[in-house]
Amino acid sequence: MTPERYERIRKTLEMRQPDLTVITDEVYKPHNLAAIARTCDAVGIPKIHCVWPRDRYRLKTAATAGSSDWIEVQTHADIETGIRELQNNGVKVVAAHLTDRAIDYRDYDFTQPTALLMGTEKEGVSDAASDMADEHLIIPMRGMVQSFNVSVAAAIILNEAHYQRQAAGMYNEQRLPDEWFNRLLFEWCQPKIALLCRENNLSYPELREDGELADPQGFSDLYNAHRAAKKKR
């Protein structure tokens, strides 16, 4: 862990926006999911929500170019459950959806807690999701084509969210709660140790100010003792 990398990790986490997210409703093409994840990382979104049409959601593909290491994913059984959970936590769900009540995406206030809802490639936003969404947003089109690719549309809208939040100074100080910040700091600085801890139900050890373990020998002793105890069971 170089000082430069540790500083970059800290600065990136300090700019994460816990009240800005995306929820995808059965977006099934890996390259679209990957592109959305990369945009989320770029604008400081720490966690996204997905309704996945298959048995398990897999973000980690070659197309993500590493973004899967920096974005957390929460899956939901269906879009209604996902929207309801977000709204119950005070987050407005805004659907990229062309309807009579849709507004220009630039007229929406992205400084408030917001989840951008992106519908499936084939049908777009479902009727159930449309009815539940707090707002509908459109990207004005000047050509014959009436819609962008789902990942392109997400990038355009999230860039506006980034612009508004930057103008409001929302990237100037840490916004992640300390517990979330410290957990991600450890996982980003020490991914292998973090995996060992999760697999063995061990608490993360303390980090030094340079991102290295404060007591590596102590953790090694604890880990070895834990493994020895498991073998005796």
Side-chain angles (χ1 to χ4, degrees):
M1 175 65 65
T2 64
E4 293 79 12
R5 182 168 178 80
Y6 178 69
E7 184 63 19
R8 182 179 179 184
I9 287 174
R10 285 200 64 95
K11 285 186 176 180
T12 298
L13 286 173
E14 286 169 357
M15 290 187 287
R16 284 310 205 216
Q17 304 290 301
D19 58 351
L20 179 63
T21 189
V22 168
I23 180 168
T24 64
D25 184 12
E26 299 197 15
V27 173
Y28 64 91
K29 293 183 179 179
H31 67 275
N32 284 332
L33 289 165
I36 291 171
R38 292 182 67 179
T39 299
C40 288
D41 174 56
V43 303
I45 292 174
K47 179 179 180 180
I48 62 177
H49 298 256
C50 297
V51 175
W52 184 236
R54 301 181 181 89
D55 56 345
R56 293 191 64 189
Y57 178 86
R58 300 279 186 185
L59 180 60
K60 208 173 187 64
T61 66
T64 60
S67 57
S68 61
D69 294 328
W70 319 116
I71 298 291
E72 296 186 318
V73 179
Q74 180 176 341
T75 58
H76 301 274
D78 53 70
I79 192 61
E80 293 90 344
T81 300
I83 292 175
R84 192 176 300 111
E85 179 176 319
L86 288 163
Q87 290 174 332
N88 287 344
N89 287 317
V91 177
K92 284 192 172 183
V93 176
V94 297
H97 193 33
L98 177 60
T99 63
D100 291 340
R101 70 180 178 102
I103 64 172
D104 189 312
Y105 75 103
R106 293 163 295 190
D107 293 332
Y108 177 77
D109 178 10
F110 282 101
T111 64
Q112 59 189 321
T114 299
L116 174 62
L117 169 64
M118 305 302 300
T120 184
E121 288 91 342
K122 288 184 178 180
E123 290 84 19
V125 174
S126 66
D127 290 341
S130 175
D131 291 342
M132 293 180 70
D134 297 289
E135 293 279 3
H136 293 171
L137 307 181
I138 57 169
I139 303 171
M141 309 290 290
R142 303 294 182 241
M144 297 296 291
V145 177
Q146 291 301 304
S147 66
F148 286 102
N149 166 277
V150 62
S151 63
V152 174
I156 291 171
I157 295 173
L158 290 176
N159 185 63
E160 174 65 19
H162 173 265
Y163 171 79
Q164 291 186 20
R165 285 177 171 242
Q166 186 175 46
M170 297 177 73
Y171 291 93
N172 296 341
E173 58 183 21
Q174 178 188 321
R175 302 192 66 245
L176 281 176
D178 287 342
E179 183 178 356
W180 194 355
F181 180 95
N182 291 330
R183 175 176 62 81
L184 290 180
L185 179 64
F186 188 92
E187 291 172 357
W188 290 15
C189 289
Q190 299 291 336
K192 293 182 179 179
I193 299 297
L195 180 59
L196 286 177
C197 290
R198 292 194 298 271
E199 290 177 341
N200 292 276
N201 198 29
L202 297 173
S203 298
Y204 290 162
E206 183 181 353
L207 289 179
R208 297 193 315 231
E209 291 188 357
D210 61 358
E212 298 294 341
L213 296 188
D215 184 8
Q217 186 60 52
F219 175 75
S220 179
D221 293 343
L222 176 66
Y223 176 70
N224 290 331
H226 178 78
R227 285 181 59 85
K230 285 180 66 175
K231 289 180 179 181
K232 291 180 180 180
R233 294 172 188 168

